[in-house]
């Protein structure tokens, strides 16, 4: 899983310049979902939906500071119950004292905090949270020698590669699920010269539609990220887009490193590899940056399933979402899913026998003052918020979402159908009240826990050094034989 990787920028999805040879090879031999979406365009809620197969509103996953309940099953629980060895490496955005959530092993800590420090406040929208995105990521875009994100992702890939070799040589023959989650190409837009120099400045295009979107939610996003008070130049924009594409190539190299271990260790033939992202990135299109929107760049993500011996390469046009991955993983593993799920298995799509064509989205985080919901079905996308005018886009005719058809008399029947469906699916007034109560509660608890001695929930990886490398209680020949791969007769 990449972080903030928008499908439209990738060559596999029609992008023009991103250099991703490893992903391209994976896609050429795999099943490519052309219209895959996250269910909430924000890190935490999107990941919670992906992990649980449940919509954010069903599990209280409103924003980036919501606790993931220990009693809520993840695909880690389902696969572990089915006999799988479950392993997590990298960013997950779990909040709360349980930092494993069904995974038997977790190889690294998280890059983001596990506490209640990032709770938005819908009751005081005018006060912009000082901990949230601003425009410094764009204004300061460029090269670096090191960064917080580079340090993190290098650690993640080191541990993931080592774990794959360990899985290949250990006597534990249980099937495994290894979830590797990177933080690139998420802002800030800073990357090493090695990746920056893979692109020439003159080949980096400026946004195709830079004129700011004027719908109320987009205006709120401009406020919450301080876009109007921290103007950016054309060079800032080009540099940010340059660094973003360079970071995509960084992610692709890490994917290549993992695929290389699968090939070298002999695991590739019997491993299903899935590549996706938690949400997208606007990158200056429609005058917006980051995510938090149901415009295509912010919520449409890559989704490639690679298992050539099992699924024939193809491209699936149906609209699906990362919510659908839990039941898909369970189906691949022969695991049962007796508990309620909103996600639907992608196995029919993978087998080429059809499948659903629908995505349900919810946004309940920063930049909102009431729930924003989305229905994508067929060629249409409908976006509704109780305090805003509706939006309806015909993505077949208008893939850049420049023409809102919601007020078009010719579409009044379709809009009425969508509004009736929204009323059936959600009680948006009650949902807003639940969000506000949750925000108040978590702000209070978070502030209280900061008084006196603070006990962090951040995951602390434990390594038993007494069993590593060479130790006197281990027989030399046994150790060397066990650790050498491939084994010597």
């Amino acid at each position: 899983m990449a972080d903030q990787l928008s499908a439209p920028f990738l060559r596999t999805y029609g992008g023009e310049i991103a250099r991703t040879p490893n992903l391209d090879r994976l896609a050429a031999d795999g099943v490519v979902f052309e219209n895959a979406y996250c269910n909430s365009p924000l890190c935490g809620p999107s990941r919670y939906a992906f992990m649980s197969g449940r919509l954010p509103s069903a599990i209280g996953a409103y924003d980036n500071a919501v606790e993931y309940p220990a009693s809520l099953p993840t695909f880690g629980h389902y696969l572990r119950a089915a006999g799988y060895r479950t392993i997590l490496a990298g960013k997950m955005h779990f909040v709360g004292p349980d930092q494993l959530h069904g995974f038997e092993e977790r190889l690294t800590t998280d890059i983001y905090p596990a506490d209640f420090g990032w709770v938005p406040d819908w009751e005081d929208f005018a006060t912009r949270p000082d901990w949230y995105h601003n425009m410094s990521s764009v204004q300061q875009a460029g090269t670096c020698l090191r960064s917080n994100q580079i340090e993190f992702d290098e650690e993640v890939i080191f541990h993931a590669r080592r774990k794959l070799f360990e899985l290949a040589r250990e006597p534990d023959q249980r099937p495994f699920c290894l979830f590797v989650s990177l933080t690139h190409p998420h802002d800030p837009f800073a990357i090493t010269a090695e990746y920056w120099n893979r692109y020439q400045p003159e080949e980096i295009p400026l946004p195709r539609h830079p004129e700011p979107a004027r719908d109320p939610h987009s205006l709120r996003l401009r406020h919450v990220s301080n876009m109007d008070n921290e103007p950016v130049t054309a060079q800032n924009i080009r540099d940010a887009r340059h660094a973003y594409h360079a970071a995509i190539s960084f992610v692709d190299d890490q994917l290549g490193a993992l695929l290389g271990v699968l090939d070298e260790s002999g695991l590739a033939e019997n491993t299903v590899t899935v590549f996706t992202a938690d949400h997208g990135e606007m990158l200056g299109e429609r005058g917006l940056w980051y995510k938090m929107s149901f415009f295509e760049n912010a919520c449409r993500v890559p989704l490639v399933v690679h298992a050539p011996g099992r699924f024939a390469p193809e491209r699936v046009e149906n609209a699906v979402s990362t919510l659908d991955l839990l039941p898909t993983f369970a189906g691949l593993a022969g695991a049962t899913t007796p508990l309620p799920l909103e996600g639907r298995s992608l196995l029919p799509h993978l087998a080429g026998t059809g499948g659903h064509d629908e995505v349900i989205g919810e946004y309940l985080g920063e930049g909102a003052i009431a729930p924003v919901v989305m229905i994508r079905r067929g060629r249409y996308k409908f976006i509704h918020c109780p305090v805003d005018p509706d939006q309806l886009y015909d993505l077949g005719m208008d893939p850049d979402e420049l023409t809102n058809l919601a007020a078009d008399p010719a579409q009044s029947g379709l809009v009425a159908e969508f509004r009736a469906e929204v009323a059936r699916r959600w009680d948006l007034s009650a949902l807003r009240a639940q969000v506000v109560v949750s925000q108040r509660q978590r702000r209070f608890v978070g502030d209280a826990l900061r008084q006196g001695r603070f006990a962090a929930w951040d995951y602390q990886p434990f390594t038993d050094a007494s069993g590593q490398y060479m130790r006197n209680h281990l027989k030399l020949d046994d150790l060397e034989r066990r650790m050498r791969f491939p084994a010597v007769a």
Side-chain angles (χ1 to χ4, degrees):
M1 176 171 274
D3 193 342
Q4 209 155 299
L5 177 55
S6 180
F9 291 111
L10 298 171
R11 287 183 185 272
T12 297
Y13 293 90
E16 298 175 356
I17 66 170
R19 295 182 174 88
T20 54
N22 296 296
L23 178 57
D24 294 348
R25 283 194 296 270
L26 199 75
D29 294 330
V31 180
V32 177
F33 289 86
E34 296 185 343
N35 294 292
Y37 293 83
C38 66
N39 302 93
S40 186
L42 191 67
C43 299
S46 173
R47 289 164 183 270
Y48 285 17
F50 158 67
M51 294 295 290
S52 67
R54 306 296 312 275
L55 283 169
S57 64
I59 57 176
Y62 306 135
D63 52 63
N64 280 339
V66 171
E67 181 179 4
Y68 192 108
S71 59
L72 178 63
T74 68
F75 65 78
H77 290 100
Y78 285 107
L79 296 186
R80 192 168 174 180
Y84 272 66
R85 184 173 177 178
T86 53
I87 307 154
L88 169 63
K91 176 179 175 178
M92 202 52 246
H93 226 305
F94 288 142
V95 171
D98 184 354
Q99 289 290 310
L100 291 175
H101 292 292
F103 286 88
E104 188 175 344
E105 302 171 72
R106 188 169 185 181
L107 307 181
T108 72
T109 191
D110 210 312
I111 192 169
Y112 283 170
D115 57 32
F116 293 147
W118 290 354
V119 182
D121 188 354
W122 283 7
E123 297 176 289
D124 183 19
F125 179 77
T127 302
R128 198 187 78 80
D130 58 8
W131 41 262
Y132 204 58
H133 290 272
N134 57 37
M135 296 310 292
S136 63
S137 289
V138 182
Q139 294 169 333
Q140 299 170 13
T143 61
C144 64
L145 289 174
R146 304 298 295 168
S147 73
N148 190 42
Q149 292 180 222
I150 291 170
E151 300 275 349
F152 183 79
D153 280 351
E154 286 184 349
E155 179 186 2
V156 170
I157 294 300
F158 169 80
H159 284 285
R161 292 182 74 247
R162 186 161 73 171
K163 179 56 67 173
L164 283 172
F165 279 122
E166 180 183 315
L167 291 167
R169 66 191 172 193
E170 277 198 345
D172 185 344
Q173 293 301 302
R174 286 178 296 165
F176 70 87
C177 171
L178 172 61
F179 176 33
V180 183
S181 182
L182 303 178
T183 190
H184 282 89
H186 193 292
D187 62 288
F189 303 115
I191 197 68
T192 61
E194 173 191 355
Y195 290 97
W196 179 276
N197 292 338
R198 294 188 187 183
Y199 299 83
Q200 297 304 311
E202 58 272 14
E203 71 177 319
I204 305 298
L206 289 170
R208 290 192 305 162
H209 302 289
E211 60 280 1
R214 307 310 298 178
D215 63 278
H217 183 64
S218 294
L219 295 177
R220 289 192 294 267
L221 296 183
R222 301 189 66 80
H223 163 71
V224 79
S225 293
N226 218 29
M227 295 180 195
D228 292 322
N229 296 322
E230 300 177 17
V232 295
T233 66
Q235 189 61 52
N236 293 152
I237 295 171
R238 194 181 299 275
D239 287 346
R241 291 168 71 92
H242 190 153
Y244 183 78
H245 282 84
I248 291 175
S249 290
F250 172 86
V251 169
D252 188 71
D253 275 8
Q254 311 318 307
L255 172 63
L258 295 173
L259 296 176
V261 176
L262 288 177
D263 287 333
E264 294 165 359
S265 64
L267 293 171
E269 186 176 341
N270 196 33
T271 299
V272 179
T273 302
V274 179
F275 180 86
T276 190
D278 60 350
H279 52 73
E281 160 66 58
M282 289 302 294
L283 210 64
E285 297 290 343
R286 310 301 301 275
L288 296 172
W289 293 86
Y290 317 129
K291 54 267 186 179
M292 306 167 288
S293 164
F294 281 115
F295 285 131
E296 289 283 280
N297 276 28
C299 66
R300 189 164 151 238
V301 298
L303 179 56
V304 178
V305 179
H306 182 270
R310 185 164 186 175
F311 305 120
E314 66 171 320
R315 300 185 73 92
V316 177
E317 294 185 4
N318 293 30
V320 301
S321 72
T322 53
L323 188 77
D324 301 325
L325 285 172
L326 183 150
T328 305
F329 296 162
L332 288 169
T336 59
T337 53
L339 300 173
L341 298 173
E342 282 84 42
R344 287 172 282 182
S345 176
L346 301 176
L347 289 181
H349 303 81
L350 295 170
T353 60
H356 63 280
D357 181 18
E358 178 183 87
V359 174
I360 305 301
E362 303 173 338
Y363 185 70
L364 306 160
E366 296 83 3
I369 54 175
V372 182
V373 297
M374 181 271 285
I375 301 172
R376 166 74 205 270
R377 186 180 296 115
R379 61 193 295 166
Y380 291 103
K381 179 194 289 183
F382 181 70
I383 304 168
H384 175 81
C385 178
V387 298
D388 298 336
D390 290 332
Q391 298 176 68
L392 175 68
Y393 298 103
D394 181 343
L395 297 178
M397 298 290 293
D398 178 26
D400 293 328
E401 302 168 293
L402 300 177
T403 304
N404 181 6
L405 301 174
D408 183 346
Q411 300 294 339
S412 60
L414 182 59
V415 170
E417 291 176 13
F418 274 124
R419 288 182 67 93
E421 182 175 349
V422 167
R424 289 195 303 271
R425 286 184 176 274
W426 293 280
D427 181 341
L428 294 180
S429 176
L431 179 55
R432 185 188 186 280
Q434 291 164 13
V435 172
V436 169
V437 168
S438 172
Q439 291 175 351
R440 291 176 188 164
Q441 212 168 258
R442 287 178 286 133
R443 283 198 307 274
F444 174 80
V445 171
D447 290 344
L449 292 179
R450 290 285 173 183
Q451 306 305 312
R453 179 176 172 271
F454 176 68
W457 291 332
D458 305 288
Y459 183 66
Q460 300 286 342
F462 174 75
T463 299
D464 183 3
S466 69
Q468 285 189 314
Y469 306 116
M470 183 55 58
R471 297 295 183 263
N472 283 328
H473 69 286
L474 303 173
K475 291 184 179 180
L476 174 62
D477 287 347
D478 290 346
L479 173 70
E480 298 291 8
R481 183 168 51 251
R482 177 169 57 86
M483 295 303 291
R484 182 164 174 168
F485 185 81
V488 177

